[in-house]
């Protein structure tokens, strides 16, 4: 190997090497110039990128309804004029949940029903929850509530007949509201049909009953819903799985159903194969189904249905319906992955349903669901749907049943991680961890995500909850943290004055006001004045939202309709 001195002497005595060396020096100089020029370009590019993102951050907030939101719009002018108006699709509590998160922390997920721009620049968010008034109360008294015209969006809501605070805190967990109510399903089914949930007298820990979809969940997920006024859950000419039912209990048998569908020229999707599996993972019904119209798309890569497979099919939909009616007991619980599609293809209605896409959705966000393939991989360590020729319907149905059985083990062993109980003094909330069953499952296996206020606190957002003792008791102590403050006031005047003070100090204020319109004179005039004061409380990038919950504790209904109104205030351009 040459030493450094040997190399230098060699360059001095060898002209050829000296030229190469000089050329190398020139290349180095050129390279330095190129690097310098490139550095300038990089700096200019960096400045341009910063300017772009700075410009994006300076985008003024804007809130606009999309097609889903437009379908929920309530035309106030129609009510004023006495014209009938129809809502195609309501906004639900998880929609409001997402909007609140997005306004406060710039939530990354898109809204299902609207577009919200410039979230980083929203300075203040106020949600006023009005209790005691119904949707009709507000719309029938718009002459005294002229401030409503200031709200850019007025949409109909659908929710369970429970307090907004309870629903906000429990969207990410399994609940028992519909299990504890004796009148659950009374809106959907006649009393003569015998549909209800029956719990044992010593009911304490969660069971399969807690995994049942509540009526409002069925409405939200567009399940066939008897008597529904909403487009996607209507079920004209559908039949019931049984003429009458008996109560669902902890001993009710479960059946997993997998339905494969194809597209026809008559209806968008029709049933072409059905598979039913029982709790022992035994296939109890498996049949191809002859469609009554021409198929235009087989979707073989997904459902595995091909033209050849259907050539020998002779069983018609009506025969499948009859077989399902004979097969299912009157208290059967159906299991499926987004089974709403399957029931619509069957053109059948069933009250007791467990949906695997929902019971494993711990986020409180309706559309944030995992596929059956992903669920099997994450929870069961099982690979399914690996065949390029399409799904195996028996394998899918078996997987659905296994997932439910796994979830039941989880909530039995870790109820406090997955389960929210409305009765704060109930056995479950007061049970010590040492009293719970011995764990056989990893306690860290996909626990429920934090509740709403844990998320806002994570982003250092400060929140105030303001109202009387009755309203605020529904925000149980476990959700409070250093960034979430509960302020109890005894009357509406103090509640509103405190709200006006807190708006200047906090990122989010949720205020509850209660009314008894029958007993109180001038209730609408007072409410109108409150809305004006809150509307004028802040001008610079201020989101004001009003929820008329429609909850009536004295008049139970599975699904309550309310109103949601919103107004965005941004500084006027000079």
């Amino acid at each position: 190997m040459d030493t450094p001195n040997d190399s230098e002497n060699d360059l001095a005595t060898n002209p050829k090497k000296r030229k190469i060396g000089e050329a190398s020096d020139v290349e180095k100089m050129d390279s330095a110039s190129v690097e310098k020029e490139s550095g300038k370009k990089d700096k200019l590019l960096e400045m341009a990128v910063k300017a772009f993102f700075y410009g994006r951050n300076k985008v003024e907030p804007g809130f606009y309804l999309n097609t889903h939101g437009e379908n929920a719009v309530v035309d106030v002018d129609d009510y004023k004029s006495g014209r009938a108006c129809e809502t195609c699709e309501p906004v639900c509590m998880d929609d409001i949940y997402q909007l609140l998160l997005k306004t406060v922390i710039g939530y990354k997920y898109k809204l299902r029903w609207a577009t919200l721009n410039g979230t980083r620049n929203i300075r203040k968010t106020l949600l006023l929850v009005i209790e005691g008034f119904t949707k009709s109360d507000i719309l029938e008294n718009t002459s005294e509530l002229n401030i409503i015209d200031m709200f850019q969006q007025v949409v109909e809501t659908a929710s369970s007949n429970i307090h907004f605070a309870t629903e906000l805190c429990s969207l990410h967990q399994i609940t028992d509201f519909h299990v504890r109510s004796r009148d659950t399903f009374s809106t959907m089914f006649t009393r003569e049909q015998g549909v209800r949930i029956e719990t044992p007298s010593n009911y304490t820990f969660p069971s399969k009953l807690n995994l049942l979809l509540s009526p409002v969940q069925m409405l939200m997920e567009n399940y066939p819903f008897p008597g529904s006024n909403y487009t996607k859950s209507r079920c004209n000419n559908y039949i019931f799985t049984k003429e009458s039912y008996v109560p669902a209990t902890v001993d009710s048998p479960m059946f997993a159903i997998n339905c494969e569908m194809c597209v026809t020229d008559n209806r968008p999707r029709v049933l072409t194969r059905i598979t039913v599996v029982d709790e022992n993972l035994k296939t109890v019904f498996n049949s191809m189904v002859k469609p009554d119209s021409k198929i235009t798309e087989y979707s073989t890569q997904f459902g595995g249905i091909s033209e050849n497979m259907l050539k020998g099919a002779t069983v018609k939909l009506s025969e499948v319906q009859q077989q399902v009616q004979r097969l299912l007991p009157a208290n059967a619980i159906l299991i499926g992955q987004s089974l709403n599609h399957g029931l619509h293809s069957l053109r059948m209605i069933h009250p007791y349903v467990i949906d695997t896409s929902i019971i494993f959705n711990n986020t409180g966000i309706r559309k944030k669901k995992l596929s059956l393939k992903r669920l099997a991989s994450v929870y069961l360590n099982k690979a399914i749907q690996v065949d390029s020729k399409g799904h195996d319907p028996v394998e899918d149905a078996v997987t659905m049943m296994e997932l439910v059985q796994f979830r039941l083990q989880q909530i039995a062993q870790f109820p406090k991680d997955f389960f929210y109980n409305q009765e704060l003094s109930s056995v479950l909330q007061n049970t010590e961890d040492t009293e719970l069953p011995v764990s056989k499952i990893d306690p860290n296996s996909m626990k429920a995500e934090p509740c709403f206020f844990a998320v806002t606190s994570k982003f250092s957002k400060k929140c105030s909850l303001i109202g009387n003792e009755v309203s605020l008791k529904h925000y149980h102590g476990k959700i409070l943290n250093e960034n979430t403050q509960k302020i109890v006031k005894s009357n509406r005047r103090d509640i509103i004055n405190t709200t006006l003070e807190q708006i200047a100090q906090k990122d989010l204020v949720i205020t509850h006001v209660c009314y008894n319109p029958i007993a109180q004179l001038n209730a609408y005039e007072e409410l109108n004045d409150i809305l004006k004061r809150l509307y004028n409380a802040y001008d610079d990038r201020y989101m004001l939202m009003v929820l008329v919950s429609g909850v009536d504790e004295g008049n139970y209904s599975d699904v309550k309709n309310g109103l949601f109104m919103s107004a965005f205030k941004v500084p006027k351009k000079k």
Side-chain angles (χ1 to χ4, degrees), residues 169-175 217 361-364 415-421 448-449 451 476:
C169 296
S170 64
L171 276 172
H172 65 300
Q173 292 181 302
I174 296 167
T175 60
Q217 285 179 307
N361 183 355
N362 306 323
T363 66
K416 292 183 179 180
D417 291 329
F418 296 96
F419 184 73
Y420 184 95
N421 190 290
E449 293 189 10
C451 78
H476 63 81

Side-chain angles (χ1 to χ4, degrees), residues 446-462:
M446 302 294 285
K447 289 183 179 180
E449 293 189 10
C451 78
F452 179 88
F453 296 104
V455 176
T456 56
S457 181
K458 182 180 178 181
F459 286 81
S460 300
K461 299 298 182 180
K462 297 190 178 297

Side-chain angles (χ1 to χ4, degrees), residues 255-260 271-278 281-289 303 305 320 324 327-328 334-336 339 346 391-400:
F255 296 85
I257 294 187
N258 183 71
C259 295
E260 301 296 348
L271 182 69
T272 50
R273 185 169 187 172
I274 180 173
T275 303
V276 183
V277 169
D278 66 14
L281 310 184
K282 177 184 176 183
T283 303
V284 293
F285 183 40
N286 189 17
S287 175
M288 304 299 297
V289 185
I305 304 298
V320 172
V324 169
L327 174 67
L328 297 180
L334 298 186
I335 292 170
L339 188 56
L346 274 167
H391 302 179
D392 178 340
V394 174
E395 178 184 59
D396 285 358
V398 166
T399 301
M400 295 169 195

Side-chain angles (χ1 to χ4, degrees), residues 385-455:
Q385 301 176 357
V386 294
D387 193 337
S388 60
K389 295 180 180 179
H391 302 179
D392 178 340
V394 174
E395 178 184 59
D396 285 358
V398 166
T399 301
M400 295 169 195
M401 182 64 72
E402 290 175 332
L403 282 167
V404 171
Q405 291 170 342
F406 173 82
R407 195 55 147 181
L408 287 171
Q409 292 178 42
Q410 275 191 317
I411 65 172
Q413 293 170 27
F414 307 106
K416 292 183 179 180
D417 291 329
F418 296 96
F419 184 73
Y420 184 95
N421 190 290
Q422 189 177 23
E423 302 280 342
L424 299 182
S425 60
S426 69
V427 174
L428 179 61
Q429 294 295 330
N430 294 322
T431 299
E432 298 296 330
D433 290 337
T434 54
E435 299 176 51
L436 297 175
V438 178
S439 172
K440 296 180 182 178
I441 300 174
D442 179 8
N444 296 313
S445 60
M446 302 294 285
K447 289 183 179 180
E449 293 189 10
C451 78
F452 179 88
F453 296 104
V455 176

Side-chain angles (χ1 to χ4, degrees), residues 344-360:
H344 277 295
S345 70
L346 274 167
R347 302 183 73 77
M348 300 189 83
I349 303 164
H350 190 77
Y352 311 130
V353 175
I354 296 175
D355 192 323
T356 49
S357 74
I358 295 174
I359 64 172
F360 285 94

